[in-house]
Amino acid sequence: MKRAFLGELEEVVLLTVAALQEQAYCALITQTIDQQMARSISFPTVHTTLQRLAEKGFVSSQMGGATAERGGRQKRLFTVTAAGQRALLECRQVRSQLWDQIPTSVVQLWGA
C-alpha cells in the first residue's frame, strides 16, 4: 500500500484533533491552533485541511448534538482514525530519527 503524505499543516490539524478528542470541531480546532502555536490560521483553511485528511482516511466525522450557542445547529465532530494514528506515529518517529542525527554539540550551540 502506498504511504499517504502528511504535510505540516495536516500534521498540526491532525494532532489538534487527537488532543481535543470528543470536542474536535472546526472552530475549536482553529482556536486551539491559534492559541497553542501563536499562529494565525483561518477557519476555511482548517476546514479544507480537515476535508483533505478525511479524503486520505486520517479523520472521520459525525454530527454532534445541537447547541444553543450555535442557534440550534449541530457541530461536525472529528476523530482520528486508525490510519491517522499510524500516520502521526510515523511522523513522530521520522522527526525523532532526524533530530537524533543532529550532533548534540550543534543543538547546544542553538541554545537548546
Side-chain angles (χ1 to χ4, degrees):
M1 183 173 131
K2 183 180 170 188
R3 203 176 83 179
F5 178 74
L6 192 61
E8 185 220 356
L9 181 58
E10 291 174 329
E11 182 181 358
V12 168
V13 171
L14 193 56
L15 283 167
T16 306
V17 171
L20 292 173
Q21 298 182 5
E22 299 87 29
Q23 300 300 315
Y25 62 97
C26 195
L28 187 55
I29 294 166
T30 304
Q31 179 183 3
T32 302
I33 292 170
D34 278 345
Q35 291 172 348
Q36 294 292 319
M37 297 187 66
R39 176 178 176 172
S40 182
I41 188 167
S42 69
F43 180 89
T45 299
V46 172
H47 186 265
T48 300
T49 303
L50 286 165
Q51 288 178 324
R52 226 177 16 252
L53 289 168
E55 289 170 6
K56 291 181 176 185
F58 293 158
V59 296
S60 60
S61 67
Q62 63 182 21
M63 296 307 289
T67 59
E69 73 262 11
R70 291 179 44 85
R73 294 182 324 212
Q74 296 177 300
K75 295 177 184 175
R76 179 167 297 280
L77 301 172
F78 292 87
T79 55
V80 178
T81 64
Q85 293 168 9
R86 285 190 303 274
L88 284 175
L89 289 171
E90 186 177 294
C91 283
R92 184 179 189 184
Q93 180 182 6
V94 167
R95 287 182 187 271
S96 180
Q97 288 171 346
L98 289 169
W99 273 101
D100 289 345
Q101 292 177 29
I102 301 172
T104 304
S105 59
V106 172
V107 175
Q108 288 172 345
L109 286 173
W110 296 346

